Amino acid sequence: HRVQTIAKTDRNLSNFQEIQKGYQDYFTQSRVMEAMVPRKLESDVEAKPFIYSTSSIQGKVNYQTLNKAIMDPIWEILDREGKRWRPMLCFIIAEIYGQNLDTVIEIAGLVEIIHNGSLIIDDIEDSSLQRRGKKCVHMIYGQDVSINAGNVMYFIPFNYIMKSAKFTDEQKVLMAKIYTEEMVTIHFGQGVDIYWHNQSFLNENKVPSEAEYLLMVQQKTGVLPRLAARLIGVVLDLSLIHISEPTRQAEISYAVFCLKKK
């Protein structure tokens, strides 16, 4: 509602842009993504959160390999930034409930990293060549490395949250349930979208109905903003009733944003 009110007239557009930039700058300066995903792994201490093993095999971790195979392609896409709409949504929800932006900073980092991981995978699935004015990550690092890096971006930020002392065990259980539900949903939505632009579907001379298409968008583009709203509800200890409307608005607004780009 705040964004809609500010952006109603051209006169207020500059105000909206200032607020947007303020959110973007806060997110960047928080360095939450660097906390979740170090740019480089250079010691056992830095690598420990990412490598779990019960093996008795003794060996030295090859950090140069890990950096080239995982950290470098991840930061190739993260450094290209983007609009940061998803973190901005997190901050707006926090402000709606009178909370400091730092209260939801981990959720903002989570959805932004997941989103960028999905872009790496999307570009491979769509055989894209460019992303944000540069070669796609898989055009630089190869499909095998890029698929693995994109996939691990779905898990690294959530692993960070699960290990954080900021949240209670009860909150972590609820967040794990929500995260699993939404990540399964987004893959089903993506699967439908892929099939619809697949040649075999086109050969069937079928066109999805408007309702079918909107449902796909809801299950694909609408997932990450909905995930953010639901997780923030847990962080702020909000009841389902209190978080349901922000969740619905988040889902709809991003679905509309997607359709406007088509």
Side-chain angles (χ1 to χ4, degrees), residues 16 22 36 44 55 58 66 91-92 165 169 178 187 202 207 255:
F16 167 70
M36 291 179 163
D44 290 348
S55 174
Q58 299 297 315
L66 287 179
F91 298 149
I92 290 173
D169 290 343
I178 292 168
H187 281 82
L202 297 176
V207 177

Side-chain angles (χ1 to χ4, degrees), residues 16-259:
F16 167 70
Q17 291 171 335
E18 287 177 9
I19 290 174
Q20 181 180 7
K21 186 177 185 305
Y23 286 137
Q24 292 169 338
D25 289 347
Y26 181 85
F27 181 74
T28 300
Q29 292 165 11
S30 76
R31 298 183 67 82
V32 65
M33 294 198 298
E34 285 87 348
M36 291 179 163
V37 190
R39 289 179 176 273
K40 298 289 183 182
L41 296 176
E42 298 176 344
S43 69
D44 290 348
V45 173
E46 291 175 326
K48 187 176 181 180
F50 307 105
I51 303 173
Y52 174 79
S53 175
T54 58
S55 174
S56 59
I57 298 175
Q58 299 297 315
K60 183 175 177 58
V61 176
N62 189 320
Y63 298 113
Q64 183 179 15
T65 298
L66 287 179
N67 289 330
K68 288 183 176 180
I70 298 176
M71 299 307 176
D72 288 354
I74 286 177
W75 278 101
E76 176 67 38
I77 188 71
L78 291 181
D79 276 337
R80 299 182 190 183
E81 296 189 357
K83 301 178 185 69
R84 304 296 198 220
W85 278 98
R86 292 155 189 83
M88 187 170 79
L89 171 69
C90 294
F91 298 149
I92 290 173
I93 295 176
E95 289 187 332
I96 287 173
Y97 290 98
Q99 301 294 319
N100 294 327
L101 304 189
D102 188 60
T103 307
V104 300
I105 193 64
E106 291 85 2
I107 307 304
L110 170 84
V111 293
E112 185 65 13
I113 292 171
I114 293 173
H115 167 62
N116 279 273
S118 74
L119 295 183
I120 294 177
I121 303 301
D122 281 352
D123 287 340
I124 295 171
E125 293 171 341
D126 296 339
S127 299
S128 299
L129 301 178
Q130 284 199 329
R131 170 66 64 178
R132 295 172 180 163
K134 298 181 180 180
K135 286 184 179 180
C136 291
V137 173
H138 69 274
M139 298 297 293
I140 300 172
Y141 294 93
Q143 287 194 6
D144 48 3
V145 168
S146 300
I147 290 171
N148 188 66
N151 285 340
V152 80
M153 291 173 76
Y154 299 154
F155 304 104
I156 287 179
F158 191 68
N159 186 50
Y160 179 92
I161 288 176
M162 290 294 101
K163 294 177 182 293
S164 173
K166 182 175 179 178
F167 310 108
T168 67
D169 290 343
E170 290 78 9
Q171 286 176 320
K172 290 176 182 178
V173 169
L174 287 173
M175 286 193 283
K177 176 180 180 294
I178 292 168
Y179 181 79
T180 304
E181 290 173 349
E182 297 293 5
M183 291 305 290
V184 169
T185 299
I186 199 171
H187 281 82
F188 270 73
Q190 176 74 352
V192 171
D193 188 30
I194 290 171
Y195 182 71
W196 280 347
H197 66 244
N198 189 283
Q199 189 61 46
S200 60
F201 178 76
L202 297 176
N203 289 340
E204 296 173 8
N205 293 319
K206 292 182 179 179
V207 177
S209 67
E210 179 179 339
E212 289 173 330
Y213 190 83
L214 290 175
L215 181 61
M216 180 276 293
V217 172
Q218 181 188 57
Q219 293 173 342
K220 178 186 172 183
T221 309
V223 166
L224 290 184
R226 187 174 65 230
L227 171 65
R230 293 180 70 190
L231 291 179
I232 290 171
V234 175
V235 171
L236 301 185
D237 291 322
L238 299 175
S239 68
L240 182 61
I241 294 175
H242 284 129
I243 198 59
S244 60
E245 183 58 22
T247 299
R248 189 179 72 85
Q249 291 294 335
E251 177 185 86
I252 292 173
S253 65
Y254 275 80
V256 171
F257 176 71
C258 174
L259 291 173

